[in-house]
Every structure is written in structure tokens, then in C-alpha cells.
Amino acid sequence: DDESTTSPTTNHLSQGWSLYESGDYAEAITSFVAALESDPANTSAFNGLGWTWTKIGNMELGRDEFQRAIDNGMTTADPYAGIAFASMDIAPADFNGAISSALAALEITSDWSFSHKTSIDWRDIRLVLAQSYFAIHNYDLANEQVVALDGTAQVSEADLMQEITRLNDLYAG
């Protein structure tokens, strides 16, 4: 891009996502923060920070950044999916938060795929739902997610968990 015709915010965002995709997460954070310094309400920068923080294991900061993206008007499924994933990995896990965010993401885009790592997609969201429903002992809804992933509905809790694990091994991005 010609920097004379591209805004600093756009340049920082582009650089941040390139760094994220290459695995340079510390520098990606620096670029997303620089984008926010240029545009303090930039939803893409908050979203980028969310994905980057969760990638390096800080689920709380990631979830906060995803929420900032939503609060500032981001309407894509990305931050909702991010909150769902982060909510599963926060200690203690927030299964109800994961469920509500996962359902919101799928309502926005039922065939969602994360553009910066396309192996993360709607199947991962359905896995979050299956695992979360199982964790809160709602086995019927967990089974619905298993079936949505082309798995086989199970009668026993042990078999259902085994099927969820099998699908996770098969699809987890």
C-alpha cells in the first residue's frame, strides 16, 4: 500500500494482522495499540487485540478486547466467537458466557470462518457449544451440537463425552 494514500490506522491494522498471522504476537499487539492511538474506537483493532491476547494465553484480556469491539459497534461474528473460545479457557470456565457468545456468532454467520486462520470456523463454535452444554449437564443440547457436526447422538454421558472428544480431534482449528 502507498502510505501517502492509506491512513495510519489502516497501515497499523494491516501490519497487526500480518504479524498475527506470522506468529509475532508481541509486535501484533504493538500494531493494534498503535491503530487505537490513531482511532480510539476502532473495532478491528479491538478485535485484533482480542485474538492476539487469547492466542498468547491471556483469555481475560482477550475477552475484554472482544467486548470492546462489540461495545464500539462491531457486528461481525469474530468477536462473539472469540468470547466463546476465551470463556471456555478462563479459569474457572464461563460455560454460560461461552454458550451465549457462540449462539450470537452463529446467528450472525452460520458458516463463519476466521479470515486470519481459516482452520478456525463454525465447527469450532459448535464444539464450544457441545462442550459447554455437556459441562452444564444439558445433554440433549450437547447432542444437538454433535449431530450438527455430523456426529452420532449418544445415550450415555460417557459415550457423549467420547463423541465430543472425537469430533474435537477431528475438527478443532
Side-chain angles (χ1 to χ4, degrees), residues 120-172:
I120 301 172
D121 64 16
W122 64 272
R123 291 172 194 89
D124 296 288
I125 296 173
R126 295 246 179 234
L127 285 166
V128 164
L129 287 169
Q131 294 164 343
S132 296
Y133 284 133
F134 186 90
I136 64 170
H137 309 288
N138 191 330
Y139 305 118
D140 290 337
L141 290 178
N143 259 318
E144 284 182 21
Q145 299 307 314
V146 164
V147 171
L149 288 164
D150 292 328
T152 305
Q154 302 295 318
V155 175
S156 77
E157 291 173 31
D159 289 343
L160 178 57
M161 187 70 248
Q162 192 170 35
E163 182 67 352
I164 292 170
T165 301
R166 183 188 75 77
L167 291 167
N168 187 66
D169 293 344
L170 184 63
Y171 291 127

mmCIF file of all heavy atoms in Angstrom, residues 120-172:
data_model
loop_
_atom_site.group_PDB
_atom_site.id
_atom_site.type_symbol
_atom_site.label_atom_id
_atom_site.label_comp_id
_atom_site.label_asym_id
_atom_site.label_seq_id
_atom_site.Cartn_x
_atom_site.Cartn_y
_atom_site.Cartn_z
ATOM 1 N N ILE A 120 -10.019 -22.200 11.806
ATOM 2 C CA ILE A 120 -10.936 -21.906 12.903
ATOM 3 C C ILE A 120 -12.239 -21.477 12.256
ATOM 4 O O ILE A 120 -12.298 -20.474 11.543
ATOM 5 C CB ILE A 120 -10.381 -20.794 13.815
ATOM 6 C CG1 ILE A 120 -9.043 -21.204 14.408
ATOM 7 C CG2 ILE A 120 -11.386 -20.463 14.917
ATOM 8 C CD1 ILE A 120 -8.338 -20.097 15.177
ATOM 9 N N ASP A 121 -13.299 -22.252 12.514
ATOM 10 C CA ASP A 121 -14.550 -21.967 11.829
ATOM 11 C C ASP A 121 -15.759 -22.370 12.663
ATOM 12 O O ASP A 121 -15.644 -22.635 13.858
ATOM 13 C CB ASP A 121 -14.561 -22.618 10.441
ATOM 14 C CG ASP A 121 -14.511 -24.141 10.474
ATOM 15 O OD1 ASP A 121 -14.767 -24.752 11.526
ATOM 16 O OD2 ASP A 121 -14.217 -24.730 9.411
ATOM 17 N N TRP A 122 -16.909 -22.430 12.001
ATOM 18 C CA TRP A 122 -18.183 -22.723 12.647
ATOM 19 C C TRP A 122 -18.151 -24.042 13.410
ATOM 20 O O TRP A 122 -18.844 -24.191 14.418
ATOM 21 C CB TRP A 122 -19.322 -22.714 11.628
ATOM 22 C CG TRP A 122 -19.200 -23.783 10.573
ATOM 23 C CD1 TRP A 122 -18.535 -23.686 9.389
ATOM 24 C CD2 TRP A 122 -19.730 -25.104 10.636
ATOM 25 N NE1 TRP A 122 -18.615 -24.880 8.701
ATOM 26 C CE2 TRP A 122 -19.353 -25.766 9.447
ATOM 27 C CE3 TRP A 122 -20.491 -25.790 11.576
ATOM 28 C CZ2 TRP A 122 -19.712 -27.075 9.181
ATOM 29 C CZ3 TRP A 122 -20.850 -27.102 11.312
ATOM 30 C CH2 TRP A 122 -20.463 -27.734 10.120
ATOM 31 N N ARG A 123 -17.337 -24.989 12.954
ATOM 32 C CA ARG A 123 -17.249 -26.271 13.670
ATOM 33 C C ARG A 123 -16.684 -26.066 15.076
ATOM 34 O O ARG A 123 -17.115 -26.707 16.026
ATOM 35 C CB ARG A 123 -16.396 -27.259 12.886
ATOM 36 C CG ARG A 123 -17.030 -27.735 11.592
ATOM 37 C CD ARG A 123 -16.027 -28.572 10.770
ATOM 38 N NE ARG A 123 -16.480 -28.749 9.429
ATOM 39 C CZ ARG A 123 -16.222 -27.916 8.415
ATOM 40 N NH1 ARG A 123 -15.493 -26.846 8.600
ATOM 41 N NH2 ARG A 123 -16.696 -28.156 7.214
ATOM 42 N N ASP A 124 -15.701 -25.169 15.187
ATOM 43 C CA ASP A 124 -15.126 -24.868 16.495
ATOM 44 C C ASP A 124 -16.171 -24.238 17.412
ATOM 45 O O ASP A 124 -16.202 -24.525 18.615
ATOM 46 C CB ASP A 124 -13.921 -23.941 16.346
ATOM 47 C CG ASP A 124 -12.802 -24.597 15.569
ATOM 48 O OD1 ASP A 124 -12.162 -25.504 16.121
ATOM 49 O OD2 ASP A 124 -12.586 -24.224 14.400
ATOM 50 N N ILE A 125 -17.012 -23.400 16.849
ATOM 51 C CA ILE A 125 -18.080 -22.790 17.647
ATOM 52 C C ILE A 125 -19.056 -23.869 18.110
ATOM 53 O O ILE A 125 -19.476 -23.887 19.270
ATOM 54 C CB ILE A 125 -18.803 -21.688 16.848
ATOM 55 C CG1 ILE A 125 -17.837 -20.546 16.533
ATOM 56 C CG2 ILE A 125 -20.015 -21.175 17.622
ATOM 57 C CD1 ILE A 125 -18.405 -19.489 15.602
ATOM 58 N N ARG A 126 -19.407 -24.779 17.226
ATOM 59 C CA ARG A 126 -20.316 -25.874 17.611
ATOM 60 C C ARG A 126 -19.664 -26.781 18.660
ATOM 61 O O ARG A 126 -20.350 -27.292 19.550
ATOM 62 C CB ARG A 126 -20.726 -26.683 16.384
ATOM 63 C CG ARG A 126 -21.543 -25.877 15.403
ATOM 64 C CD ARG A 126 -22.945 -26.399 15.302
ATOM 65 N NE ARG A 126 -23.718 -25.607 14.379
ATOM 66 C CZ ARG A 126 -24.875 -25.046 14.712
ATOM 67 N NH1 ARG A 126 -25.367 -25.202 15.915
ATOM 68 N NH2 ARG A 126 -25.549 -24.346 13.824
ATOM 69 N N LEU A 127 -18.349 -26.980 18.579
ATOM 70 C CA LEU A 127 -17.648 -27.759 19.605
ATOM 71 C C LEU A 127 -17.715 -27.061 20.959
ATOM 72 O O LEU A 127 -17.917 -27.713 21.996
ATOM 73 C CB LEU A 127 -16.192 -27.998 19.201
ATOM 74 C CG LEU A 127 -15.975 -29.049 18.121
ATOM 75 C CD1 LEU A 127 -14.561 -28.949 17.555
ATOM 76 C CD2 LEU A 127 -16.243 -30.440 18.675
ATOM 77 N N VAL A 128 -17.550 -25.737 20.963
ATOM 78 C CA VAL A 128 -17.695 -24.972 22.208
ATOM 79 C C VAL A 128 -19.088 -25.190 22.783
ATOM 80 O O VAL A 128 -19.247 -25.411 23.987
ATOM 81 C CB VAL A 128 -17.422 -23.470 21.968
ATOM 82 C CG1 VAL A 128 -17.937 -22.613 23.124
ATOM 83 C CG2 VAL A 128 -15.940 -23.222 21.753
ATOM 84 N N LEU A 129 -20.090 -25.145 21.922
ATOM 85 C CA LEU A 129 -21.459 -25.371 22.390
ATOM 86 C C LEU A 129 -21.628 -26.776 22.950
ATOM 87 O O LEU A 129 -22.192 -26.955 24.041
ATOM 88 C CB LEU A 129 -22.457 -25.122 21.259
ATOM 89 C CG LEU A 129 -22.678 -23.664 20.889
ATOM 90 C CD1 LEU A 129 -23.463 -23.544 19.585
ATOM 91 C CD2 LEU A 129 -23.385 -22.922 22.018
ATOM 92 N N ALA A 130 -21.151 -27.778 22.236
ATOM 93 C CA ALA A 130 -21.282 -29.162 22.717
ATOM 94 C C ALA A 130 -20.581 -29.336 24.063
ATOM 95 O O ALA A 130 -21.144 -29.910 25.004
ATOM 96 C CB ALA A 130 -20.705 -30.133 21.686
ATOM 97 N N GLN A 131 -19.363 -28.826 24.174
ATOM 98 C CA GLN A 131 -18.611 -28.959 25.423
ATOM 99 C C GLN A 131 -19.264 -28.187 26.558
ATOM 100 O O GLN A 131 -19.337 -28.669 27.692
ATOM 101 C CB GLN A 131 -17.172 -28.480 25.210
ATOM 102 C CG GLN A 131 -16.394 -29.367 24.263
ATOM 103 C CD GLN A 131 -15.128 -28.709 23.735
ATOM 104 O OE1 GLN A 131 -14.958 -27.492 23.805
ATOM 105 N NE2 GLN A 131 -14.240 -29.519 23.182
ATOM 106 N N SER A 132 -19.749 -26.998 26.267
ATOM 107 C CA SER A 132 -20.371 -26.167 27.298
ATOM 108 C C SER A 132 -21.697 -26.756 27.762
ATOM 109 O O SER A 132 -21.976 -26.805 28.963
ATOM 110 C CB SER A 132 -20.575 -24.742 26.790
ATOM 111 O OG SER A 132 -19.335 -24.133 26.521
ATOM 112 N N TYR A 133 -22.515 -27.184 26.819
ATOM 113 C CA TYR A 133 -23.781 -27.819 27.211
ATOM 114 C C TYR A 133 -23.510 -29.078 28.033
ATOM 115 O O TYR A 133 -24.199 -29.338 29.021
ATOM 116 C CB TYR A 133 -24.624 -28.159 25.983
ATOM 117 C CG TYR A 133 -25.318 -26.982 25.351
ATOM 118 C CD1 TYR A 133 -25.273 -26.790 23.975
ATOM 119 C CD2 TYR A 133 -26.029 -26.052 26.117
ATOM 120 C CE1 TYR A 133 -25.916 -25.716 23.377
ATOM 121 C CE2 TYR A 133 -26.673 -24.975 25.529
ATOM 122 C CZ TYR A 133 -26.616 -24.813 24.161
ATOM 123 O OH TYR A 133 -27.263 -23.757 23.582
ATOM 124 N N PHE A 134 -22.535 -29.857 27.633
ATOM 125 C CA PHE A 134 -22.180 -31.050 28.400
ATOM 126 C C PHE A 134 -21.763 -30.652 29.815
ATOM 127 O O PHE A 134 -22.194 -31.270 30.797
ATOM 128 C CB PHE A 134 -21.054 -31.830 27.705
ATOM 129 C CG PHE A 134 -20.754 -33.137 28.368
ATOM 130 C CD1 PHE A 134 -21.406 -34.293 27.985
ATOM 131 C CD2 PHE A 134 -19.818 -33.200 29.389
ATOM 132 C CE1 PHE A 134 -21.133 -35.504 28.618
ATOM 133 C CE2 PHE A 134 -19.532 -34.402 30.028
ATOM 134 C CZ PHE A 134 -20.195 -35.563 29.643
ATOM 135 N N ALA A 135 -20.951 -29.618 29.926
ATOM 136 C CA ALA A 135 -20.433 -29.189 31.226
ATOM 137 C C ALA A 135 -21.544 -28.738 32.177
ATOM 138 O O ALA A 135 -21.425 -28.911 33.389
ATOM 139 C CB ALA A 135 -19.403 -28.083 31.054
ATOM 140 N N ILE A 136 -22.605 -28.162 31.621
ATOM 141 C CA ILE A 136 -23.718 -27.727 32.479
ATOM 142 C C ILE A 136 -24.823 -28.793 32.529
ATOM 143 O O ILE A 136 -25.934 -28.513 32.976
ATOM 144 C CB ILE A 136 -24.271 -26.349 32.063
ATOM 145 C CG1 ILE A 136 -24.893 -26.380 30.668
ATOM 146 C CG2 ILE A 136 -23.186 -25.278 32.176
ATOM 147 C CD1 ILE A 136 -25.675 -25.115 30.305
ATOM 148 N N HIS A 137 -24.514 -29.979 32.071
ATOM 149 C CA HIS A 137 -25.399 -31.152 32.156
ATOM 150 C C HIS A 137 -26.648 -31.042 31.290
ATOM 151 O O HIS A 137 -27.667 -31.647 31.594
ATOM 152 C CB HIS A 137 -25.789 -31.456 33.609
ATOM 153 C CG HIS A 137 -24.605 -31.521 34.515
ATOM 154 N ND1 HIS A 137 -23.712 -32.572 34.475
ATOM 155 C CD2 HIS A 137 -24.142 -30.662 35.449
ATOM 156 C CE1 HIS A 137 -22.756 -32.352 35.367
ATOM 157 N NE2 HIS A 137 -22.982 -31.198 35.962
ATOM 158 N N ASN A 138 -26.560 -30.297 30.197
ATOM 159 C CA ASN A 138 -27.660 -30.240 29.250
ATOM 160 C C ASN A 138 -27.278 -31.151 28.081
ATOM 161 O O ASN A 138 -26.816 -30.702 27.026
ATOM 162 C CB ASN A 138 -27.929 -28.814 28.779
ATOM 163 C CG ASN A 138 -29.235 -28.717 28.017
ATOM 164 O OD1 ASN A 138 -29.654 -29.681 27.372
ATOM 165 N ND2 ASN A 138 -29.864 -27.551 28.085
ATOM 166 N N TYR A 139 -27.477 -32.438 28.295
ATOM 167 C CA TYR A 139 -27.007 -33.446 27.350
ATOM 168 C C TYR A 139 -27.808 -33.447 26.050
ATOM 169 O O TYR A 139 -27.265 -33.764 24.990
ATOM 170 C CB TYR A 139 -26.996 -34.821 28.013
ATOM 171 C CG TYR A 139 -26.188 -34.808 29.293
ATOM 172 C CD1 TYR A 139 -26.771 -35.092 30.520
ATOM 173 C CD2 TYR A 139 -24.830 -34.453 29.268
ATOM 174 C CE1 TYR A 139 -26.021 -35.039 31.692
ATOM 175 C CE2 TYR A 139 -24.084 -34.399 30.437
ATOM 176 C CZ TYR A 139 -24.690 -34.691 31.643
ATOM 177 O OH TYR A 139 -23.951 -34.634 32.799
ATOM 178 N N ASP A 140 -29.085 -33.067 26.120
ATOM 179 C CA ASP A 140 -29.878 -33.001 24.885
ATOM 180 C C ASP A 140 -29.314 -31.947 23.928
ATOM 181 O O ASP A 140 -29.155 -32.205 22.737
ATOM 182 C CB ASP A 140 -31.343 -32.693 25.190
ATOM 183 C CG ASP A 140 -32.050 -33.850 25.879
ATOM 184 O OD1 ASP A 140 -31.592 -35.005 25.745
ATOM 185 O OD2 ASP A 140 -33.072 -33.596 26.552
ATOM 186 N N LEU A 141 -28.999 -30.763 24.466
ATOM 187 C CA LEU A 141 -28.444 -29.715 23.602
ATOM 188 C C LEU A 141 -27.014 -30.045 23.168
ATOM 189 O O LEU A 141 -26.613 -29.711 22.049
ATOM 190 C CB LEU A 141 -28.514 -28.358 24.291
ATOM 191 C CG LEU A 141 -29.936 -27.783 24.447
ATOM 192 C CD1 LEU A 141 -29.908 -26.464 25.189
ATOM 193 C CD2 LEU A 141 -30.628 -27.640 23.096
ATOM 194 N N ALA A 142 -26.264 -30.724 24.019
ATOM 195 C CA ALA A 142 -24.923 -31.178 23.617
ATOM 196 C C ALA A 142 -25.041 -32.148 22.448
ATOM 197 O O ALA A 142 -24.288 -32.058 21.472
ATOM 198 C CB ALA A 142 -24.198 -31.824 24.792
ATOM 199 N N ASN A 143 -25.999 -33.047 22.535
ATOM 200 C CA ASN A 143 -26.225 -33.999 21.445
ATOM 201 C C ASN A 143 -26.644 -33.294 20.161
ATOM 202 O O ASN A 143 -26.233 -33.700 19.070
ATOM 203 C CB ASN A 143 -27.284 -35.032 21.845
ATOM 204 C CG ASN A 143 -26.681 -36.349 22.265
ATOM 205 O OD1 ASN A 143 -25.745 -36.844 21.643
ATOM 206 N ND2 ASN A 143 -27.215 -36.917 23.335
ATOM 207 N N GLU A 144 -27.440 -32.228 20.266
ATOM 208 C CA GLU A 144 -27.831 -31.472 19.071
ATOM 209 C C GLU A 144 -26.597 -30.924 18.357
ATOM 210 O O GLU A 144 -26.532 -30.936 17.119
ATOM 211 C CB GLU A 144 -28.764 -30.316 19.438
ATOM 212 C CG GLU A 144 -30.172 -30.738 19.733
ATOM 213 C CD GLU A 144 -31.071 -29.554 20.046
ATOM 214 O OE1 GLU A 144 -30.729 -28.400 19.651
ATOM 215 O OE2 GLU A 144 -32.117 -29.770 20.686
ATOM 216 N N GLN A 145 -25.631 -30.444 19.119
ATOM 217 C CA GLN A 145 -24.401 -29.917 18.522
ATOM 218 C C GLN A 145 -23.571 -31.034 17.893
ATOM 219 O O GLN A 145 -22.971 -30.851 16.834
ATOM 220 C CB GLN A 145 -23.588 -29.131 19.549
ATOM 221 C CG GLN A 145 -24.319 -27.930 20.096
ATOM 222 C CD GLN A 145 -24.838 -27.008 19.009
ATOM 223 O OE1 GLN A 145 -24.130 -26.679 18.059
ATOM 224 N NE2 GLN A 145 -26.097 -26.604 19.129
ATOM 225 N N VAL A 146 -23.530 -32.178 18.547
ATOM 226 C CA VAL A 146 -22.822 -33.332 17.996
ATOM 227 C C VAL A 146 -23.414 -33.706 16.638
ATOM 228 O O VAL A 146 -22.685 -33.904 15.655
ATOM 229 C CB VAL A 146 -22.871 -34.525 18.983
ATOM 230 C CG1 VAL A 146 -22.495 -35.832 18.314
ATOM 231 C CG2 VAL A 146 -21.970 -34.244 20.187
ATOM 232 N N VAL A 147 -24.729 -33.748 16.566
ATOM 233 C CA VAL A 147 -25.401 -34.088 15.307
ATOM 234 C C VAL A 147 -25.135 -33.008 14.256
ATOM 235 O O VAL A 147 -24.911 -33.312 13.079
ATOM 236 C CB VAL A 147 -26.911 -34.314 15.542
ATOM 237 C CG1 VAL A 147 -27.666 -34.441 14.232
ATOM 238 C CG2 VAL A 147 -27.124 -35.559 16.416
ATOM 239 N N ALA A 148 -25.119 -31.738 14.659
ATOM 240 C CA ALA A 148 -24.828 -30.644 13.721
ATOM 241 C C ALA A 148 -23.415 -30.753 13.144
ATOM 242 O O ALA A 148 -23.140 -30.241 12.064
ATOM 243 C CB ALA A 148 -25.006 -29.296 14.410
ATOM 244 N N LEU A 149 -22.544 -31.454 13.862
ATOM 245 C CA LEU A 149 -21.170 -31.675 13.390
ATOM 246 C C LEU A 149 -21.030 -33.012 12.662
ATOM 247 O O LEU A 149 -19.926 -33.497 12.448
ATOM 248 C CB LEU A 149 -20.202 -31.634 14.581
ATOM 249 C CG LEU A 149 -19.986 -30.256 15.175
ATOM 250 C CD1 LEU A 149 -19.360 -30.353 16.556
ATOM 251 C CD2 LEU A 149 -19.113 -29.420 14.247
ATOM 252 N N ASP A 150 -22.161 -33.600 12.287
ATOM 253 C CA ASP A 150 -22.202 -34.901 11.608
ATOM 254 C C ASP A 150 -21.717 -36.040 12.489
ATOM 255 O O ASP A 150 -21.271 -37.072 11.996
ATOM 256 C CB ASP A 150 -21.415 -34.881 10.286
ATOM 257 C CG ASP A 150 -22.082 -34.002 9.258
ATOM 258 O OD1 ASP A 150 -23.324 -33.912 9.268
ATOM 259 O OD2 ASP A 150 -21.361 -33.391 8.451
ATOM 260 N N GLY A 151 -21.819 -35.832 13.799
ATOM 261 C CA GLY A 151 -21.504 -36.905 14.739
ATOM 262 C C GLY A 151 -22.754 -37.718 15.014
ATOM 263 O O GLY A 151 -23.821 -37.471 14.450
ATOM 264 N N THR A 152 -22.618 -38.670 15.892
ATOM 265 C CA THR A 152 -23.716 -39.561 16.241
ATOM 266 C C THR A 152 -24.211 -39.224 17.637
ATOM 267 O O THR A 152 -23.422 -39.182 18.586
ATOM 268 C CB THR A 152 -23.237 -41.034 16.209
ATOM 269 O OG1 THR A 152 -22.678 -41.295 14.917
ATOM 270 C CG2 THR A 152 -24.372 -41.985 16.489
ATOM 271 N N ALA A 153 -25.518 -38.985 17.761
ATOM 272 C CA ALA A 153 -26.102 -38.718 19.074
ATOM 273 C C ALA A 153 -25.872 -39.918 19.977
ATOM 274 O O ALA A 153 -25.883 -41.061 19.527
ATOM 275 C CB ALA A 153 -27.585 -38.424 18.940
ATOM 276 N N GLN A 154 -25.650 -39.641 21.248
ATOM 277 C CA GLN A 154 -25.317 -40.681 22.220
ATOM 278 C C GLN A 154 -26.324 -40.687 23.359
ATOM 279 O O GLN A 154 -26.872 -39.644 23.709
ATOM 280 C CB GLN A 154 -23.908 -40.455 22.771
ATOM 281 C CG GLN A 154 -22.823 -40.422 21.718
ATOM 282 C CD GLN A 154 -22.662 -41.752 21.002
ATOM 283 O OE1 GLN A 154 -22.702 -42.802 21.629
ATOM 284 N NE2 GLN A 154 -22.485 -41.702 19.694
ATOM 285 N N VAL A 155 -26.506 -41.869 23.955
ATOM 286 C CA VAL A 155 -27.448 -42.010 25.049
ATOM 287 C C VAL A 155 -26.763 -41.776 26.395
ATOM 288 O O VAL A 155 -27.262 -41.033 27.235
ATOM 289 C CB VAL A 155 -28.120 -43.415 25.021
ATOM 290 C CG1 VAL A 155 -29.012 -43.611 26.225
ATOM 291 C CG2 VAL A 155 -28.896 -43.584 23.726
ATOM 292 N N SER A 156 -25.601 -42.367 26.601
ATOM 293 C CA SER A 156 -24.935 -42.237 27.899
ATOM 294 C C SER A 156 -24.025 -41.011 27.930
ATOM 295 O O SER A 156 -23.503 -40.576 26.902
ATOM 296 C CB SER A 156 -24.121 -43.491 28.216
ATOM 297 O OG SER A 156 -22.918 -43.504 27.488
ATOM 298 N N GLU A 157 -23.830 -40.471 29.120
ATOM 299 C CA GLU A 157 -22.941 -39.325 29.293
ATOM 300 C C GLU A 157 -21.520 -39.652 28.842
ATOM 301 O O GLU A 157 -20.867 -38.848 28.176
ATOM 302 C CB GLU A 157 -22.920 -38.882 30.759
ATOM 303 C CG GLU A 157 -24.213 -38.280 31.226
ATOM 304 C CD GLU A 157 -24.203 -38.012 32.715
ATOM 305 O OE1 GLU A 157 -23.116 -37.719 33.280
ATOM 306 O OE2 GLU A 157 -25.287 -38.090 33.318
ATOM 307 N N ALA A 158 -21.041 -40.848 29.208
ATOM 308 C CA ALA A 158 -19.669 -41.243 28.857
ATOM 309 C C ALA A 158 -19.503 -41.332 27.343
ATOM 310 O O ALA A 158 -18.493 -40.865 26.791
ATOM 311 C CB ALA A 158 -19.313 -42.571 29.512
ATOM 312 N N ASP A 159 -20.488 -41.908 26.662
ATOM 313 C CA ASP A 159 -20.408 -42.008 25.208
ATOM 314 C C ASP A 159 -20.512 -40.645 24.537
ATOM 315 O O ASP A 159 -19.848 -40.383 23.531
ATOM 316 C CB ASP A 159 -21.501 -42.946 24.675
ATOM 317 C CG ASP A 159 -21.245 -44.408 25.019
ATOM 318 O OD1 ASP A 159 -20.096 -44.756 25.376
ATOM 319 O OD2 ASP A 159 -22.216 -45.198 24.950
ATOM 320 N N LEU A 160 -21.334 -39.776 25.108
ATOM 321 C CA LEU A 160 -21.462 -38.426 24.564
ATOM 322 C C LEU A 160 -20.135 -37.681 24.694
ATOM 323 O O LEU A 160 -19.673 -37.061 23.743
ATOM 324 C CB LEU A 160 -22.580 -37.663 25.271
ATOM 325 C CG LEU A 160 -22.797 -36.213 24.846
ATOM 326 C CD1 LEU A 160 -23.081 -36.102 23.344
ATOM 327 C CD2 LEU A 160 -23.937 -35.599 25.659
ATOM 328 N N MET A 161 -19.498 -37.779 25.852
ATOM 329 C CA MET A 161 -18.205 -37.104 26.029
ATOM 330 C C MET A 161 -17.172 -37.682 25.073
ATOM 331 O O MET A 161 -16.370 -36.944 24.499
ATOM 332 C CB MET A 161 -17.724 -37.246 27.476
ATOM 333 C CG MET A 161 -16.473 -36.436 27.765
ATOM 334 S SD MET A 161 -16.795 -34.657 27.772
ATOM 335 C CE MET A 161 -15.913 -34.126 26.329
ATOM 336 N N GLN A 162 -17.203 -38.979 24.869
ATOM 337 C CA GLN A 162 -16.275 -39.624 23.935
ATOM 338 C C GLN A 162 -16.517 -39.129 22.501
ATOM 339 O O GLN A 162 -15.566 -38.876 21.756
ATOM 340 C CB GLN A 162 -16.426 -41.138 24.024
ATOM 341 C CG GLN A 162 -15.349 -41.908 23.330
ATOM 342 C CD GLN A 162 -15.439 -43.394 23.660
ATOM 343 O OE1 GLN A 162 -16.528 -43.950 23.826
ATOM 344 N NE2 GLN A 162 -14.291 -44.034 23.747
ATOM 345 N N GLU A 163 -17.764 -38.950 22.126
ATOM 346 C CA GLU A 163 -18.086 -38.459 20.781
ATOM 347 C C GLU A 163 -17.663 -36.995 20.627
ATOM 348 O O GLU A 163 -17.129 -36.605 19.588
ATOM 349 C CB GLU A 163 -19.578 -38.635 20.484
ATOM 350 C CG GLU A 163 -19.996 -38.205 19.099
ATOM 351 C CD GLU A 163 -19.447 -39.061 17.957
ATOM 352 O OE1 GLU A 163 -18.584 -39.945 18.171
ATOM 353 O OE2 GLU A 163 -19.879 -38.832 16.816
ATOM 354 N N ILE A 164 -17.869 -36.189 21.653
ATOM 355 C CA ILE A 164 -17.421 -34.794 21.610
ATOM 356 C C ILE A 164 -15.901 -34.747 21.466
ATOM 357 O O ILE A 164 -15.369 -33.958 20.681
ATOM 358 C CB ILE A 164 -17.896 -34.018 22.853
ATOM 359 C CG1 ILE A 164 -19.421 -33.849 22.821
ATOM 360 C CG2 ILE A 164 -17.206 -32.664 22.959
ATOM 361 C CD1 ILE A 164 -20.028 -33.314 24.107
ATOM 362 N N THR A 165 -15.215 -35.586 22.203
ATOM 363 C CA THR A 165 -13.751 -35.647 22.116
ATOM 364 C C THR A 165 -13.310 -36.062 20.711
ATOM 365 O O THR A 165 -12.381 -35.484 20.133
ATOM 366 C CB THR A 165 -13.172 -36.600 23.180
ATOM 367 O OG1 THR A 165 -13.562 -36.126 24.464
ATOM 368 C CG2 THR A 165 -11.666 -36.705 23.080
ATOM 369 N N ARG A 166 -13.983 -37.038 20.139
ATOM 370 C CA ARG A 166 -13.665 -37.495 18.782
ATOM 371 C C ARG A 166 -13.839 -36.349 17.779
ATOM 372 O O ARG A 166 -12.967 -36.101 16.938
ATOM 373 C CB ARG A 166 -14.536 -38.682 18.378
ATOM 374 C CG ARG A 166 -14.205 -39.254 17.002
ATOM 375 C CD ARG A 166 -15.203 -40.307 16.559
ATOM 376 N NE ARG A 166 -16.479 -39.747 16.137
ATOM 377 C CZ ARG A 166 -16.687 -39.151 14.953
ATOM 378 N NH1 ARG A 166 -15.718 -39.031 14.078
ATOM 379 N NH2 ARG A 166 -17.879 -38.674 14.650
ATOM 380 N N LEU A 167 -14.940 -35.639 17.903
ATOM 381 C CA LEU A 167 -15.201 -34.520 16.992
ATOM 382 C C LEU A 167 -14.213 -33.393 17.208
ATOM 383 O O LEU A 167 -13.777 -32.749 16.243
ATOM 384 C CB LEU A 167 -16.641 -34.019 17.179
ATOM 385 C CG LEU A 167 -17.726 -34.987 16.709
ATOM 386 C CD1 LEU A 167 -19.093 -34.548 17.215
ATOM 387 C CD2 LEU A 167 -17.710 -35.144 15.201
ATOM 388 N N ASN A 168 -13.825 -33.156 18.443
ATOM 389 C CA ASN A 168 -12.818 -32.139 18.734
ATOM 390 C C ASN A 168 -11.493 -32.506 18.056
ATOM 391 O O ASN A 168 -10.855 -31.656 17.440
ATOM 392 C CB ASN A 168 -12.628 -32.002 20.245
ATOM 393 C CG ASN A 168 -11.716 -30.845 20.586
ATOM 394 O OD1 ASN A 168 -12.061 -29.687 20.349
ATOM 395 N ND2 ASN A 168 -10.564 -31.146 21.122
ATOM 396 N N ASP A 169 -11.098 -33.758 18.148
ATOM 397 C CA ASP A 169 -9.872 -34.210 17.488
ATOM 398 C C ASP A 169 -9.955 -34.069 15.980
ATOM 399 O O ASP A 169 -8.972 -33.780 15.300
ATOM 400 C CB ASP A 169 -9.544 -35.665 17.867
ATOM 401 C CG ASP A 169 -9.179 -35.840 19.328
ATOM 402 O OD1 ASP A 169 -8.870 -34.837 20.006
ATOM 403 O OD2 ASP A 169 -9.215 -36.998 19.797
ATOM 404 N N LEU A 170 -11.153 -34.241 15.463
ATOM 405 C CA LEU A 170 -11.365 -34.177 14.023
ATOM 406 C C LEU A 170 -11.410 -32.743 13.490
ATOM 407 O O LEU A 170 -10.846 -32.438 12.448
ATOM 408 C CB LEU A 170 -12.676 -34.906 13.683
ATOM 409 C CG LEU A 170 -13.079 -35.063 12.240
ATOM 410 C CD1 LEU A 170 -12.057 -35.918 11.486
ATOM 411 C CD2 LEU A 170 -14.466 -35.698 12.149
ATOM 412 N N TYR A 171 -12.071 -31.851 14.240
ATOM 413 C CA TYR A 171 -12.366 -30.532 13.693
ATOM 414 C C TYR A 171 -11.650 -29.358 14.342
ATOM 415 O O TYR A 171 -11.618 -28.275 13.762
ATOM 416 C CB TYR A 171 -13.875 -30.238 13.801
ATOM 417 C CG TYR A 171 -14.724 -31.087 12.906
ATOM 418 C CD1 TYR A 171 -15.799 -31.806 13.435
ATOM 419 C CD2 TYR A 171 -14.499 -31.154 11.538
ATOM 420 C CE1 TYR A 171 -16.613 -32.573 12.618
ATOM 421 C CE2 TYR A 171 -15.299 -31.927 10.728
ATOM 422 C CZ TYR A 171 -16.362 -32.636 11.273
ATOM 423 O OH TYR A 171 -17.163 -33.382 10.473
ATOM 424 N N ALA A 172 -11.152 -29.486 15.550
ATOM 425 C CA ALA A 172 -10.647 -28.308 16.269
ATOM 426 C C ALA A 172 -9.575 -27.594 15.462
ATOM 427 O O ALA A 172 -8.602 -28.184 15.007
ATOM 428 C CB ALA A 172 -10.103 -28.693 17.637
#
